[in-house]
Amino acid sequence: MASSDAGATEFCGGERVLAFHGPVLYESKILAVEKRKDAEGKEITVHLTHYNGWNKHWDEWLPPDRLRKINAETLQLKSNLEAEYSSSNKRKGPAGKRIGDDGTKKTRRRDRGDTGGASSADDIRGLLEDKVVLPDALKVLLVDDWHFITAQSKIVKLPRAHSIAKILAEYCEHAATHHGPRAAGVAAEVTSGLKVYFENGCAAQLLYAAEQAQHAELVRDTPTARLCDHYGPQHLLRLFVKLPAMMEYAGVSPKGACYLVTCLQDILEYLHAHKDKFFATDAYITHSPPSGKK
């Protein structure tokens, strides 16, 4: 865990170090060093730190006690912490809830000086709710989606030219081109998981009542169809809203959780950057609900 004994250690710009993000150490690089004053007016040194292999979105200013010099001792500490946290994730109670020695459900989001970072695999729901943030423009589209369906008796016309499967495939190409092979591998895994969650949760969690008849007709007429090939960005955004709850008991390692949230946020930024392309203004058609339903 992070401790004050590292406080006297000096680090310099460009230095490769190990940095705590939650209870686990990650290989990192110091980009800059600054002197600042804390809340009590005391001068402190902070270090702009980049976690190797992570999106720069995760770069943050860290105090010395979150950093370690790279040597045999700290590399062994890194290995031990990863093993400890991996082991703790396997200890589950009924319904997949993780339990401690006293039998109570444990969430360790603030353990070891954690600041809500991406290693909080014991609380994946809270992590996704905290760290995966819809850009404001996409929030507006979600509100518009709700208004079209509940107030104007419309539904999304299917199939969408830009289906969920197509959008995610295009994102994977984007990740490979702009972020490199490691990010491409993460993107492939994350987007595959998103499609599984959508296929399994679409009817029960991602549709308004007015859309259920359309879904039933789709399944009846094309029983072998993949829903991701028919539904589009409107429903993909709804998936992002529901995803924290859907993944609450997912078995995600601390490092995997970090990659997951970074990739999910990058997908949202990709949707935002291409919103005019994906979110067509004529996506909705008039729907007449059965009597007594909205």
Side-chain angles (χ1 to χ4, degrees), residues 253-269:
S253 70
K255 189 171 185 178
C258 297
Y259 286 126
L260 173 65
V261 295
T262 301
C263 185
L264 290 176
Q265 189 64 48
D266 199 49
I267 292 172
L268 287 174
E269 297 298 338

Side-chain angles (χ1 to χ4, degrees), residues 93-281:
K97 293 183 179 180
R98 284 134 182 122
I99 58 175
D101 294 335
D102 59 357
T104 58
K105 183 181 177 184
K106 298 295 183 182
T107 56
R108 302 177 61 184
R109 301 200 54 210
R110 301 297 175 187
D111 285 3
R112 297 184 174 93
D114 189 11
T115 57
S119 59
S120 306
D122 280 355
D123 187 9
I124 190 67
R125 177 172 183 167
L127 174 63
L128 294 180
E129 289 175 341
D130 289 346
K131 294 297 184 181
V132 181
V133 181
L134 268 70
D136 289 343
L138 297 187
K139 292 178 182 178
V140 171
L141 291 173
L142 271 174
V143 173
D144 290 343
D145 181 50
W146 170 84
H147 183 76
F148 279 129
I149 293 173
T150 62
Q152 297 189 21
S153 296
K154 293 185 177 183
I155 59 175
V156 178
K157 182 180 179 180
L158 299 179
R160 301 307 308 151
H162 294 289
S163 66
I164 291 174
K166 183 176 181 181
I167 290 172
L168 294 180
E170 290 180 2
Y171 168 74
C172 286
E173 294 178 1
H174 164 84
T177 301
H178 295 278
H179 302 322
R182 178 183 295 181
V186 173
E189 184 174 352
V190 171
T191 55
S192 177
L194 286 176
K195 287 184 285 188
V196 170
Y197 276 106
F198 186 84
E199 296 288 337
N200 293 335
C202 180
Q205 301 186 58
L206 303 176
L207 300 181
Y208 290 94
E211 297 174 301
Q212 291 292 343
Q214 180 191 44
H215 175 268
E217 182 180 357
L218 171 62
V219 174
R220 183 190 68 232
D221 294 346
T222 52
T224 60
R226 294 192 312 166
L227 299 179
C228 288
D229 291 329
H230 291 261
Y231 290 90
Q234 297 80 11
H235 292 82
L236 180 57
L237 284 187
R238 298 184 204 173
L239 175 63
F240 270 90
V241 174
K242 295 288 187 179
L243 196 61
M246 296 170 77
M247 292 193 67
E248 183 168 9
Y249 299 117
V252 184
S253 70
K255 189 171 185 178
C258 297
Y259 286 126
L260 173 65
V261 295
T262 301
C263 185
L264 290 176
Q265 189 64 48
D266 199 49
I267 292 172
L268 287 174
E269 297 298 338
Y270 179 77
L271 287 173
H272 178 253
H274 298 85
K275 64 182 186 299
D276 292 339
K277 170 185 175 182
F278 293 144
F279 294 90
T281 56

Side-chain angles (χ1 to χ4, degrees), residues 5 13 36 47 80 90 133 198 201 274:
D5 61 3
R36 297 183 181 178
H47 310 77
N80 292 344
K90 295 178 182 177
V133 181
F198 186 84
H274 298 85

